[in-house]
Amino acid sequence: MKGLGPIFLILVLIISIYLEVQRPTYPPKKDSCYSCHQFAISTDKNHPFDAMGCSLCHLGNPYALQKEAAHMGIVRNPGELAFAKETCGRGGCHPEQVQRVENSIMATNAGILHRMRIVWERMGFEGSFWPRTVESSFQRQREEPPFLDYFRKMCGSCHLHKEFGDVVGEIGERGGGCSACHVIREREGKIGKGEGFGVKAPYNHREITTRIPSLNCIRCHNRSARIGLSYRGQYESEGYGTPYEGDGFSSRRLPGKRYYLELLPDIHHRKSGLDCIDCHNGQEVMGDGKRYGLLKEQVDTSCLSCHAQNHWEDGPKEGPIGDLGLKLVSLNGKLQVKEGEIIRYSPKGYPLYNVVSTQKGLFLFRKSDGQPFEISSIKKEPYHHLRGHERLSCLACHSQWMPQCYGCHIAQREGLQWDWIRKEGSMPQWFERRDFMRFESPPLGLRDGKVYPISAHYVSFYDGVEGSRSRHDYFGLASFDPHTTQKRSRTCFECHGDPKTYGLSYLYPGMDLLTGKEGIDVKSFEMADIQRILRVGECIGCHGDYADKIYGDFSQSYNRFLWDTELPCRR
Amino acid sequence: MQKVIYVLVCIPFLAWLLMGKIGTAKDRGKECIHCHSGIEEMDENHRFECIYCHFPLNRGGDKGGIHLNVVKNPSDPNYWDVACGRCHQTEIGNLKKSLHFTLDGIIYQSLSLWGGQSEGEDLILGGLGRRFLEDNCTGCHISKGSNEKGFYRSTGCAACHMEYGEEGRYEGGDKGLRSSKKVRARGHRFKRPIEDRSCLSCHRKNHVGSDYLGLFERDTTASFELSEFRGDKYRDYHRLREDVHHERGMRCTDCHKKSDVMGDGRSYSYALQDSKVRCNDCHKNLDSLPHIIPKHKRLHCTACHSQWVFGDFGLSVMAKELSDGRAEWRMGYRFRRWDWIPLGVDQQGFIRPLRPKYQYLISYIDSEGRVVLDSYVPQRKSSGEKGWGFLPYTPHNVQRGRVCYSCHGNRMASGEGIEEELSFDTVLTRVDGVLSPHRKLNKQEQEMLMKPSKEFERWRSKYLLQTPGKGSR
């Protein structure tokens, strides 16, 4: 038995060497997480977990070595708004941002809920309990309007409170609080193939970034107004799935068994490949802490911020880049903007750190890679300063097409459907049908007194299931930027000659399809207005130049046209 | 032995009984009424014995069972020569040469796009085009009836000259026929005048006929499925502005007379060639301002007065060969529009609305699942052009004239497509390959449209001053 002593010692030695080898060698060996998760690596410079460890974000017990104990209270996605206050928003990190996001329109859905409530009341229903935000729609009420059920099941999957990955497929990809936007999921996963005995492939942690790829936005913004699609020239088609490919349907697919056609993309996408974030700044998207009731109140993007000249009276704000701007530049990591440089500011005064005024002119630096693009400014030409055109928004002329979905039928049938907000299946099942869809030059109307492209929607809401349905109609008007901007504008005739621009259609028995209709904050033109606009079209053929003197005071010119038979156009 | 005698006695007796019941061929007509009592009498011109029409093959003979030789529909193309044709030889002769019978318009036009030139010539994959037509298009022929709900029709003369109910059942006084579950005419009588419903049993979907009623076929995909909310016969159609003539209660046959519908004895190869009714047969001396503009002389009335057209852009066709020699067809459009009205020039030089018909992309999967054709663009044999065609036609949705700018200064009207920069999909909107002898607008005509001249403006302001309050012209 004497010989066993050294053998035992050797064994102990071998085992201790083995354990030592097995111990993580990553600096700073902060969390116990490393004893298992050794092979994680990160390309994210702002959140290096070599320095920060894991538990700072993912919580759990960083001192325990057993899996069960270590995983107590762990969160898979620290960005979820449910615990963002303790993770991303913890003191010293981003407390202010989390608080802002929680109040922002993408988290509260206040805009959708506000408008739905008005639609509900205009359809002739009594105002009953109606939540202002998504969070308050979690609460159970004794009597809830069926329209709210519709919201929870059909619209309720598009807000930041929604948990990421709760279901498989398109909708599971949405939500996840901060991570919904700031995480690049595409580059996550195992790197290389080096997996075998004792060797594990390194695991690349999801990248956290402020260079948010547009794909993250389009995960949600591809329905309803479809701006995420239109910007890239994609039009959700009527679903024929043509042209066929091989023995199947077209591969030009969108999530949800939809297909798209290729139309002209927005010039900002086509020419410069700009991402959503190149125009939409952080404060606008994440909110400024105030609770806005409508999307348009939170929006802080204006064409003029870039395309107007700063010496104009109503020109954009310009100034040296401040601390916040410099911080954002450094977070971005791709831009080369230095202290003292002159940048533009958004209408609400947020630094647009990628729009830099230099000696050579105004430049936009693409946030994704720092590529510069010279910005052309609005020309001081008569067509931009025509008397009578004061009310026009840029979009009224420069929006090329707008996806329009005419006739929306919302109905229910018996069956279970998932409630995204309460996270349970319940009766009834909602479904939607359309009358027809179009891509076309948008009709024009008035929003807050300015002329904008508008989208008319005729909603038929069917209360009750088949057999006992009662129908409630609502005619609504909405206005949004279709995100199909082009350099080319509409021609004079397209507005001043074509009554269809105002919704007057010769196709329907009722000629005044759009006239004198009122949406929530959008109005269509009155018949008298339309006649006034179309009257200009009578003169454009001969007086085709914007600088033509008859447009100096058009009503006077027109009066003269009516009485003065000596005019060349009267002869 | 007794049984044998019994049987021997009974058989002749039974035979005699039956003979008595049925009668001989001579007075068989009267005997029909034994069962078919209550059946409607035909009009004076057709007040024959039953057998005169319904027993045309074997008039005198008496072979086989009685009902076996009875022809239910004597006007069926198999019998019409010996039944209706005994009196109406000319009509049936003409009809056989008319487009309603030959369908040459549909056949030649489609096959020429699919690469064929004349009958019997090799088409794609040895006759895929012909199969395409047989399986999908030529079902609307008077040798083939229709069993589709709401659109029932029988064959031959009866397809048009008899009336059919919504359910396709006989609704007359004959109890025997009433219990029949087969598709039958509503009553045993010729319908006069012929109802639009008869015409529409073929001339529906996105073809002339529907537009007269203001119907435009709805998109056929799932998200447009409204049958749960609409139960009517035309639930699969959009309701657009109907024709003013229909609003005033005119029928198809008020304009389209016999020689137009049933042929005039000559052969034609497309419908525009065959048309014998003109707007100015009734509407004479049009002297309001738009009509006297010299450059408008070349316009067909529908160029201004049609309110919308059938625009079925891009037709993808897929044939999957089944093991039993048949093919499974799948079809889908790229997009369907009614509000774009491209103009073209017809064989007589008149400017008319055009419609895409069609812009084919053909896929063919053989019985082993191999993809033989993958969205193949057919080529015309004659010119080598793409097998994509536009055709001038006569939209039947006439209302007051459209506004000047729906043609003047309108890219779609000039045939240049909706945009200067056309994409993979919007390129379909450019007028390309109008089937000869028609043509698209030439450069000069396009320019005249797109750049409103001083002359145009003078005419326009003249018109606007004449019609105060119509600022929207």
PDB file of all heavy atoms in Angstrom, chain B residues 24 57 76 86 122 136 140-141 183 185 229 234 250 257 260 269-270 276 280 313 319 349 358 375 391 458 466:
ATOM      1  N   THR B  24     -97.569   4.879 -81.144  1.00  0.00           N
ATOM      2  CA  THR B  24     -96.610   4.730 -82.233  1.00  0.00           C
ATOM      3  C   THR B  24     -95.932   6.054 -82.496  1.00  0.00           C
ATOM      4  O   THR B  24     -96.305   7.082 -81.946  1.00  0.00           O
ATOM      5  CB  THR B  24     -97.338   4.270 -83.502  1.00  0.00           C
ATOM      6  OG1 THR B  24     -98.352   5.234 -83.743  1.00  0.00           O
ATOM      7  CG2 THR B  24     -97.950   2.910 -83.345  1.00  0.00           C
ATOM      8  N   LEU B  57     -83.458  13.100 -85.013  1.00  0.00           N
ATOM      9  CA  LEU B  57     -82.517  12.182 -85.642  1.00  0.00           C
ATOM     10  C   LEU B  57     -83.204  11.061 -86.392  1.00  0.00           C
ATOM     11  O   LEU B  57     -82.776  10.606 -87.429  1.00  0.00           O
ATOM     12  CB  LEU B  57     -81.589  11.576 -84.583  1.00  0.00           C
ATOM     13  CG  LEU B  57     -80.568  12.546 -84.011  1.00  0.00           C
ATOM     14  CD1 LEU B  57     -79.678  11.810 -83.037  1.00  0.00           C
ATOM     15  CD2 LEU B  57     -79.747  13.168 -85.121  1.00  0.00           C
ATOM     16  N   ASP B  76     -78.707  22.172 -79.645  1.00  0.00           N
ATOM     17  CA  ASP B  76     -77.306  21.863 -79.394  1.00  0.00           C
ATOM     18  C   ASP B  76     -76.581  21.748 -80.726  1.00  0.00           C
ATOM     19  O   ASP B  76     -77.138  21.207 -81.692  1.00  0.00           O
ATOM     20  CB  ASP B  76     -77.215  20.561 -78.614  1.00  0.00           C
ATOM     21  CG  ASP B  76     -75.785  20.237 -78.245  1.00  0.00           C
ATOM     22  OD1 ASP B  76     -75.071  19.647 -79.073  1.00  0.00           O
ATOM     23  OD2 ASP B  76     -75.391  20.605 -77.129  1.00  0.00           O
ATOM     24  N   ARG B  86     -83.562  23.161 -89.868  1.00  0.00           N
ATOM     25  CA  ARG B  86     -84.532  22.852 -90.922  1.00  0.00           C
ATOM     26  C   ARG B  86     -85.237  24.107 -91.380  1.00  0.00           C
ATOM     27  O   ARG B  86     -85.597  24.255 -92.529  1.00  0.00           O
ATOM     28  CB  ARG B  86     -85.540  21.833 -90.406  1.00  0.00           C
ATOM     29  CG  ARG B  86     -84.960  20.448 -90.281  1.00  0.00           C
ATOM     30  CD  ARG B  86     -86.055  19.409 -90.327  1.00  0.00           C
ATOM     31  NE  ARG B  86     -87.032  19.630 -89.281  1.00  0.00           N
ATOM     32  CZ  ARG B  86     -87.066  18.924 -88.141  1.00  0.00           C
ATOM     33  NH1 ARG B  86     -86.189  17.979 -87.924  1.00  0.00           N
ATOM     34  NH2 ARG B  86     -87.966  19.156 -87.238  1.00  0.00           N
ATOM     35  N   ASP B 122     -46.651  24.604 -84.590  1.00  0.00           N
ATOM     36  CA  ASP B 122     -46.043  24.257 -83.316  1.00  0.00           C
ATOM     37  C   ASP B 122     -45.996  25.455 -82.385  1.00  0.00           C
ATOM     38  O   ASP B 122     -45.504  26.498 -82.741  1.00  0.00           O
ATOM     39  CB  ASP B 122     -44.621  23.755 -83.536  1.00  0.00           C
ATOM     40  CG  ASP B 122     -44.551  22.276 -83.270  1.00  0.00           C
ATOM     41  OD1 ASP B 122     -45.615  21.668 -83.089  1.00  0.00           O
ATOM     42  OD2 ASP B 122     -43.445  21.747 -83.241  1.00  0.00           O
ATOM     43  N   ASN B 136     -58.930  26.901 -70.216  1.00  0.00           N
ATOM     44  CA  ASN B 136     -59.268  28.107 -69.459  1.00  0.00           C
ATOM     45  C   ASN B 136     -60.173  29.087 -70.170  1.00  0.00           C
ATOM     46  O   ASN B 136     -60.818  29.887 -69.520  1.00  0.00           O
ATOM     47  CB  ASN B 136     -57.983  28.848 -69.059  1.00  0.00           C
ATOM     48  CG  ASN B 136     -57.095  28.006 -68.187  1.00  0.00           C
ATOM     49  OD1 ASN B 136     -57.497  27.573 -67.129  1.00  0.00           O
ATOM     50  ND2 ASN B 136     -55.897  27.735 -68.672  1.00  0.00           N
ATOM     51  N   CYS B 140     -66.256  29.189 -72.591  1.00  0.00           N
ATOM     52  CA  CYS B 140     -67.332  30.117 -72.928  1.00  0.00           C
ATOM     53  C   CYS B 140     -67.664  29.975 -74.400  1.00  0.00           C
ATOM     54  O   CYS B 140     -67.441  30.899 -75.188  1.00  0.00           O
ATOM     55  CB  CYS B 140     -66.924  31.542 -72.620  1.00  0.00           C
ATOM     56  SG  CYS B 140     -67.319  32.032 -70.963  1.00  0.00           S
ATOM     57  N   HIS B 141     -68.152  28.843 -74.782  1.00  0.00           N
ATOM     58  CA  HIS B 141     -68.482  28.638 -76.174  1.00  0.00           C
ATOM     59  C   HIS B 141     -69.888  28.084 -76.210  1.00  0.00           C
ATOM     60  O   HIS B 141     -70.310  27.408 -75.278  1.00  0.00           O
ATOM     61  CB  HIS B 141     -67.497  27.637 -76.796  1.00  0.00           C
ATOM     62  CG  HIS B 141     -67.665  27.507 -78.274  1.00  0.00           C
ATOM     63  ND1 HIS B 141     -68.082  26.344 -78.858  1.00  0.00           N
ATOM     64  CD2 HIS B 141     -67.471  28.395 -79.261  1.00  0.00           C
ATOM     65  CE1 HIS B 141     -68.150  26.533 -80.173  1.00  0.00           C
ATOM     66  NE2 HIS B 141     -67.777  27.754 -80.442  1.00  0.00           N
ATOM     67  N   VAL B 183     -79.541  21.105 -64.857  1.00  0.00           N
ATOM     68  CA  VAL B 183     -79.653  22.494 -65.286  1.00  0.00           C
ATOM     69  C   VAL B 183     -80.595  22.570 -66.480  1.00  0.00           C
ATOM     70  O   VAL B 183     -80.417  21.872 -67.474  1.00  0.00           O
ATOM     71  CB  VAL B 183     -78.275  23.048 -65.671  1.00  0.00           C
ATOM     72  CG1 VAL B 183     -78.420  24.406 -66.322  1.00  0.00           C
ATOM     73  CG2 VAL B 183     -77.392  23.145 -64.454  1.00  0.00           C
ATOM     74  N   ALA B 185     -83.562  25.242 -68.740  1.00  0.00           N
ATOM     75  CA  ALA B 185     -84.105  26.584 -68.923  1.00  0.00           C
ATOM     76  C   ALA B 185     -85.249  26.792 -67.950  1.00  0.00           C
ATOM     77  O   ALA B 185     -85.896  25.843 -67.501  1.00  0.00           O
ATOM     78  CB  ALA B 185     -84.587  26.753 -70.346  1.00  0.00           C
ATOM     79  N   PHE B 229     -69.476  38.764 -46.336  1.00  0.00           N
ATOM     80  CA  PHE B 229     -70.271  39.978 -46.108  1.00  0.00           C
ATOM     81  C   PHE B 229     -71.235  40.276 -47.239  1.00  0.00           C
ATOM     82  O   PHE B 229     -72.120  41.077 -47.098  1.00  0.00           O
ATOM     83  CB  PHE B 229     -69.343  41.181 -45.907  1.00  0.00           C
ATOM     84  CG  PHE B 229     -68.241  40.904 -44.949  1.00  0.00           C
ATOM     85  CD1 PHE B 229     -66.930  40.923 -45.358  1.00  0.00           C
ATOM     86  CD2 PHE B 229     -68.525  40.580 -43.633  1.00  0.00           C
ATOM     87  CE1 PHE B 229     -65.907  40.652 -44.472  1.00  0.00           C
ATOM     88  CE2 PHE B 229     -67.514  40.302 -42.744  1.00  0.00           C
ATOM     89  CZ  PHE B 229     -66.208  40.338 -43.163  1.00  0.00           C
ATOM     90  N   TYR B 234     -73.102  39.061 -57.767  1.00  0.00           N
ATOM     91  CA  TYR B 234     -71.916  39.767 -58.245  1.00  0.00           C
ATOM     92  C   TYR B 234     -71.001  40.143 -57.088  1.00  0.00           C
ATOM     93  O   TYR B 234     -70.361  41.171 -57.103  1.00  0.00           O
ATOM     94  CB  TYR B 234     -72.329  41.004 -59.047  1.00  0.00           C
ATOM     95  CG  TYR B 234     -73.071  40.658 -60.304  1.00  0.00           C
ATOM     96  CD1 TYR B 234     -74.382  41.045 -60.492  1.00  0.00           C
ATOM     97  CD2 TYR B 234     -72.440  39.910 -61.301  1.00  0.00           C
ATOM     98  CE1 TYR B 234     -75.059  40.711 -61.657  1.00  0.00           C
ATOM     99  CE2 TYR B 234     -73.110  39.566 -62.456  1.00  0.00           C
ATOM    100  CZ  TYR B 234     -74.422  39.973 -62.628  1.00  0.00           C
ATOM    101  OH  TYR B 234     -75.078  39.635 -63.765  1.00  0.00           O
ATOM    102  N   MET B 250     -81.455  50.205 -71.049  1.00  0.00           N
ATOM    103  CA  MET B 250     -81.261  49.534 -72.336  1.00  0.00           C
ATOM    104  C   MET B 250     -80.563  48.193 -72.165  1.00  0.00           C
ATOM    105  O   MET B 250     -79.751  48.006 -71.273  1.00  0.00           O
ATOM    106  CB  MET B 250     -80.442  50.426 -73.278  1.00  0.00           C
ATOM    107  CG  MET B 250     -81.284  51.528 -73.890  1.00  0.00           C
ATOM    108  SD  MET B 250     -80.286  52.681 -74.810  1.00  0.00           S
ATOM    109  CE  MET B 250     -79.758  51.686 -76.185  1.00  0.00           C
ATOM    110  N   LYS B 257     -77.583  43.875 -82.784  1.00  0.00           N
ATOM    111  CA  LYS B 257     -78.630  43.185 -83.515  1.00  0.00           C
ATOM    112  C   LYS B 257     -78.132  41.841 -84.017  1.00  0.00           C
ATOM    113  O   LYS B 257     -76.984  41.477 -83.833  1.00  0.00           O
ATOM    114  CB  LYS B 257     -79.087  44.057 -84.696  1.00  0.00           C
ATOM    115  CG  LYS B 257     -79.654  45.391 -84.262  1.00  0.00           C
ATOM    116  CD  LYS B 257     -80.949  45.190 -83.505  1.00  0.00           C
ATOM    117  CE  LYS B 257     -81.549  46.534 -83.131  1.00  0.00           C
ATOM    118  NZ  LYS B 257     -82.499  46.452 -82.041  1.00  0.00           N
ATOM    119  N   ASP B 260     -74.912  41.338 -85.916  1.00  0.00           N
ATOM    120  CA  ASP B 260     -73.773  41.635 -85.083  1.00  0.00           C
ATOM    121  C   ASP B 260     -73.415  40.435 -84.215  1.00  0.00           C
ATOM    122  O   ASP B 260     -72.252  40.087 -84.044  1.00  0.00           O
ATOM    123  CB  ASP B 260     -74.158  42.821 -84.192  1.00  0.00           C
ATOM    124  CG  ASP B 260     -72.970  43.639 -83.783  1.00  0.00           C
ATOM    125  OD1 ASP B 260     -71.906  43.450 -84.395  1.00  0.00           O
ATOM    126  OD2 ASP B 260     -73.115  44.455 -82.866  1.00  0.00           O
ATOM    127  N   SER B 269     -61.664  37.877 -87.976  1.00  0.00           N
ATOM    128  CA  SER B 269     -60.652  37.335 -87.073  1.00  0.00           C
ATOM    129  C   SER B 269     -60.543  38.085 -85.756  1.00  0.00           C
ATOM    130  O   SER B 269     -59.821  37.679 -84.882  1.00  0.00           O
ATOM    131  CB  SER B 269     -59.289  37.271 -87.766  1.00  0.00           C
ATOM    132  OG  SER B 269     -59.010  38.483 -88.409  1.00  0.00           O
ATOM    133  N   TYR B 270     -61.218  39.173 -85.598  1.00  0.00           N
ATOM    134  CA  TYR B 270     -61.271  39.799 -84.270  1.00  0.00           C
ATOM    135  C   TYR B 270     -62.497  40.680 -84.163  1.00  0.00           C
ATOM    136  O   TYR B 270     -63.081  41.095 -85.162  1.00  0.00           O
ATOM    137  CB  TYR B 270     -59.986  40.581 -83.962  1.00  0.00           C
ATOM    138  CG  TYR B 270     -59.593  41.590 -85.014  1.00  0.00           C
ATOM    139  CD1 TYR B 270     -60.037  42.904 -84.942  1.00  0.00           C
ATOM    140  CD2 TYR B 270     -58.769  41.236 -86.063  1.00  0.00           C
ATOM    141  CE1 TYR B 270     -59.673  43.833 -85.902  1.00  0.00           C
ATOM    142  CE2 TYR B 270     -58.404  42.154 -87.038  1.00  0.00           C
ATOM    143  CZ  TYR B 270     -58.860  43.447 -86.956  1.00  0.00           C
ATOM    144  OH  TYR B 270     -58.506  44.362 -87.896  1.00  0.00           O
ATOM    145  N   LYS B 276     -70.815  45.897 -85.965  1.00  0.00           N
ATOM    146  CA  LYS B 276     -71.717  46.525 -86.938  1.00  0.00           C
ATOM    147  C   LYS B 276     -72.566  47.611 -86.336  1.00  0.00           C
ATOM    148  O   LYS B 276     -73.400  48.197 -87.006  1.00  0.00           O
ATOM    149  CB  LYS B 276     -72.607  45.465 -87.570  1.00  0.00           C
ATOM    150  CG  LYS B 276     -71.793  44.601 -88.470  1.00  0.00           C
ATOM    151  CD  LYS B 276     -72.565  43.467 -89.049  1.00  0.00           C
ATOM    152  CE  LYS B 276     -71.603  42.416 -89.526  1.00  0.00           C
ATOM    153  NZ  LYS B 276     -70.900  41.722 -88.422  1.00  0.00           N
ATOM    154  N   ASN B 280     -72.700  56.485 -83.618  1.00  0.00           N
ATOM    155  CA  ASN B 280     -73.377  57.516 -84.397  1.00  0.00           C
ATOM    156  C   ASN B 280     -74.516  56.974 -85.264  1.00  0.00           C
ATOM    157  O   ASN B 280     -75.102  57.696 -86.052  1.00  0.00           O
ATOM    158  CB  ASN B 280     -72.386  58.370 -85.196  1.00  0.00           C
ATOM    159  CG  ASN B 280     -71.564  57.533 -86.146  1.00  0.00           C
ATOM    160  OD1 ASN B 280     -71.892  56.369 -86.395  1.00  0.00           O
ATOM    161  ND2 ASN B 280     -70.509  58.113 -86.671  1.00  0.00           N
ATOM    162  N   PHE B 313     -52.839  43.844 -65.604  1.00  0.00           N
ATOM    163  CA  PHE B 313     -51.438  43.921 -66.004  1.00  0.00           C
ATOM    164  C   PHE B 313     -50.683  42.672 -65.578  1.00  0.00           C
ATOM    165  O   PHE B 313     -50.784  42.235 -64.440  1.00  0.00           O
ATOM    166  CB  PHE B 313     -50.792  45.159 -65.395  1.00  0.00           C
ATOM    167  CG  PHE B 313     -51.313  46.444 -65.975  1.00  0.00           C
ATOM    168  CD1 PHE B 313     -52.395  47.089 -65.405  1.00  0.00           C
ATOM    169  CD2 PHE B 313     -50.752  46.971 -67.117  1.00  0.00           C
ATOM    170  CE1 PHE B 313     -52.897  48.262 -65.943  1.00  0.00           C
ATOM    171  CE2 PHE B 313     -51.240  48.143 -67.667  1.00  0.00           C
ATOM    172  CZ  PHE B 313     -52.312  48.785 -67.089  1.00  0.00           C
ATOM    173  N   ALA B 319     -48.576  25.904 -65.669  1.00  0.00           N
ATOM    174  CA  ALA B 319     -49.215  24.608 -65.932  1.00  0.00           C
ATOM    175  C   ALA B 319     -48.419  23.533 -65.222  1.00  0.00           C
ATOM    176  O   ALA B 319     -47.198  23.451 -65.388  1.00  0.00           O
ATOM    177  CB  ALA B 319     -49.240  24.337 -67.423  1.00  0.00           C
ATOM    178  N   GLY B 349     -57.811  53.477 -87.829  1.00  0.00           N
ATOM    179  CA  GLY B 349     -57.169  54.750 -87.566  1.00  0.00           C
ATOM    180  C   GLY B 349     -57.830  55.556 -86.461  1.00  0.00           C
ATOM    181  O   GLY B 349     -57.465  56.689 -86.223  1.00  0.00           O
ATOM    182  N   TYR B 358     -52.667  39.765 -73.214  1.00  0.00           N
ATOM    183  CA  TYR B 358     -52.163  39.919 -71.851  1.00  0.00           C
ATOM    184  C   TYR B 358     -50.657  39.987 -71.914  1.00  0.00           C
ATOM    185  O   TYR B 358     -50.080  39.765 -72.964  1.00  0.00           O
ATOM    186  CB  TYR B 358     -52.584  38.720 -70.979  1.00  0.00           C
ATOM    187  CG  TYR B 358     -54.073  38.696 -70.685  1.00  0.00           C
ATOM    188  CD1 TYR B 358     -54.906  37.826 -71.352  1.00  0.00           C
ATOM    189  CD2 TYR B 358     -54.616  39.543 -69.731  1.00  0.00           C
ATOM    190  CE1 TYR B 358     -56.276  37.805 -71.083  1.00  0.00           C
ATOM    191  CE2 TYR B 358     -55.989  39.513 -69.461  1.00  0.00           C
ATOM    192  CZ  TYR B 358     -56.801  38.647 -70.137  1.00  0.00           C
ATOM    193  OH  TYR B 358     -58.137  38.621 -69.876  1.00  0.00           O
ATOM    194  N   SER B 375     -41.308  31.138 -65.708  1.00  0.00           N
ATOM    195  CA  SER B 375     -41.754  32.498 -66.036  1.00  0.00           C
ATOM    196  C   SER B 375     -41.171  32.961 -67.364  1.00  0.00           C
ATOM    197  O   SER B 375     -40.516  33.992 -67.473  1.00  0.00           O
ATOM    198  CB  SER B 375     -41.397  33.481 -64.920  1.00  0.00           C
ATOM    199  OG  SER B 375     -42.342  33.380 -63.903  1.00  0.00           O
ATOM    200  N   LEU B 391     -54.488  45.655 -76.541  1.00  0.00           N
ATOM    201  CA  LEU B 391     -55.514  45.616 -77.579  1.00  0.00           C
ATOM    202  C   LEU B 391     -56.457  46.804 -77.439  1.00  0.00           C
ATOM    203  O   LEU B 391     -56.885  47.120 -76.324  1.00  0.00           O
ATOM    204  CB  LEU B 391     -56.355  44.349 -77.424  1.00  0.00           C
ATOM    205  CG  LEU B 391     -55.975  43.113 -78.217  1.00  0.00           C
ATOM    206  CD1 LEU B 391     -56.988  42.037 -77.939  1.00  0.00           C
ATOM    207  CD2 LEU B 391     -55.927  43.418 -79.703  1.00  0.00           C
ATOM    208  N   ARG B 458     -56.556  77.110 -76.177  1.00  0.00           N
ATOM    209  CA  ARG B 458     -57.601  78.001 -76.688  1.00  0.00           C
ATOM    210  C   ARG B 458     -58.947  77.278 -76.751  1.00  0.00           C
ATOM    211  O   ARG B 458     -59.965  77.792 -76.333  1.00  0.00           O
ATOM    212  CB  ARG B 458     -57.210  78.545 -78.054  1.00  0.00           C
ATOM    213  CG  ARG B 458     -56.735  79.986 -77.960  1.00  0.00           C
ATOM    214  CD  ARG B 458     -56.820  80.687 -79.286  1.00  0.00           C
ATOM    215  NE  ARG B 458     -55.858  80.158 -80.232  1.00  0.00           N
ATOM    216  CZ  ARG B 458     -54.567  80.502 -80.238  1.00  0.00           C
ATOM    217  NH1 ARG B 458     -54.097  81.341 -79.348  1.00  0.00           N
ATOM    218  NH2 ARG B 458     -53.749  80.002 -81.129  1.00  0.00           N
ATOM    219  N   GLN B 466     -67.886  78.529 -72.158  1.00  0.00           N
ATOM    220  CA  GLN B 466     -69.241  78.120 -72.585  1.00  0.00           C
ATOM    221  C   GLN B 466     -70.018  77.459 -71.464  1.00  0.00           C
ATOM    222  O   GLN B 466     -71.225  77.536 -71.395  1.00  0.00           O
ATOM    223  CB  GLN B 466     -69.126  77.090 -73.702  1.00  0.00           C
ATOM    224  CG  GLN B 466     -69.154  77.659 -75.084  1.00  0.00           C
ATOM    225  CD  GLN B 466     -69.169  76.545 -76.101  1.00  0.00           C
ATOM    226  OE1 GLN B 466     -69.474  75.397 -75.782  1.00  0.00           O
ATOM    227  NE2 GLN B 466     -68.847  76.874 -77.331  1.00  0.00           N
TER     228      GLN B 466
END
